[in-house]
Amino acid sequence: MKRIVRFLLITIGICAWQNSHAQIIPDSIEHIDSLMLKSPRPILFLLTTDWCKYCALQKKQIRKNQKFKDLSDKLYFIEFDAERKDKITYQGKEYSFKPSGLNVGTHELASALNKSSQISYPSWILVDKEFNPIFKQNSLLKPDQINDLLDAIAYSL
């Protein structure tokens, strides 16, 4: 009997620890149209690249941010690699990678979201439930700036 109680306590402890250390899992751009049909919410995009050190830092800050975790069920969050090569359908339109040189280029969706082909990374874009852009920032956000943005999103909901 003591073994069963001990096993249950250990299992509960592990589950509680995992839940308290849960990371933010970005939503998939491939599914955002269907998600928005089921449950419209604001969408927060983070445009990044694999080579951007500031992007990696920004992602790390997000994963540690408790406000972000608390708000994650009220908005969709998408980390979008602006140099990905596959075709993507967003709002019924197909977007693809546009090369600008040998093994370099930008995905059309990143340019469309940014409203410009000149993108600096990381870039933040917030769209409302109707896909209207309401915030754009083309730079690293400090943790307090992320919190201010999240507070503004929470206030508008």
Side-chain angles (χ1 to χ4, degrees):
M1 183 68 169
K2 287 183 180 180
R3 283 184 170 169
I4 293 173
V5 171
R6 190 172 170 193
F7 173 76
L8 288 174
L9 288 174
I10 290 171
T11 303
I12 290 170
I14 289 170
C15 291
W17 180 85
Q18 286 179 334
N19 190 37
S20 69
H21 289 82
Q23 289 195 357
I24 294 162
I25 299 171
D27 294 295
S28 170
I29 187 69
E30 291 83 5
H31 301 114
I32 198 65
D33 285 347
S34 60
L35 289 172
M36 289 292 281
L37 285 173
K38 285 187 221 172
S39 178
R41 303 178 191 168
I43 307 169
L44 184 58
F45 292 93
L46 177 60
L47 305 182
T48 65
T49 64
D50 289 338
W51 50 263
C52 171
K53 292 183 194 287
Y54 293 109
C55 299
L57 174 64
Q58 195 78 96
K59 290 177 189 180
K60 191 175 184 180
Q61 290 172 338
I62 291 166
R63 282 167 178 59
K64 291 181 183 179
N65 189 303
Q66 187 59 47
K67 281 187 181 186
F68 211 103
K69 290 176 189 173
D70 294 343
L71 197 60
S72 64
D73 64 335
K74 306 235 186 308
L75 65 96
Y76 297 113
F77 172 63
I78 296 177
E79 288 179 7
F80 186 75
D81 180 356
E83 295 178 331
R84 65 189 284 178
K85 307 267 191 293
D86 56 334
K87 290 184 180 180
I88 295 170
T89 301
Y90 174 72
Q91 287 189 279
K93 183 177 178 192
E94 190 171 88
Y95 297 88
S96 59
F97 177 78
K98 290 297 178 192
S100 59
L102 189 60
N103 292 326
V104 293
T106 305
H107 202 282
E108 287 177 316
L109 182 55
S111 298
L113 290 168
N114 193 55
K115 304 287 186 205
S116 170
S117 60
Q118 299 295 319
I119 305 173
S120 60
Y121 303 105
S123 284
W124 291 89
I125 298 157
L126 175 65
V127 298
D128 64 15
K129 295 175 185 180
E130 289 81 35
F131 297 97
N132 300 312
I134 54 177
F135 173 82
K136 183 174 106 172
Q137 178 71 34
N138 291 325
S139 66
L140 178 78
L141 292 179
K142 296 177 185 171
D144 59 328
Q145 292 172 313
I146 294 172
N147 287 335
D148 290 344
L149 174 60
L150 295 172
D151 288 341
I153 294 169
Y155 180 75
S156 68
L157 295 174

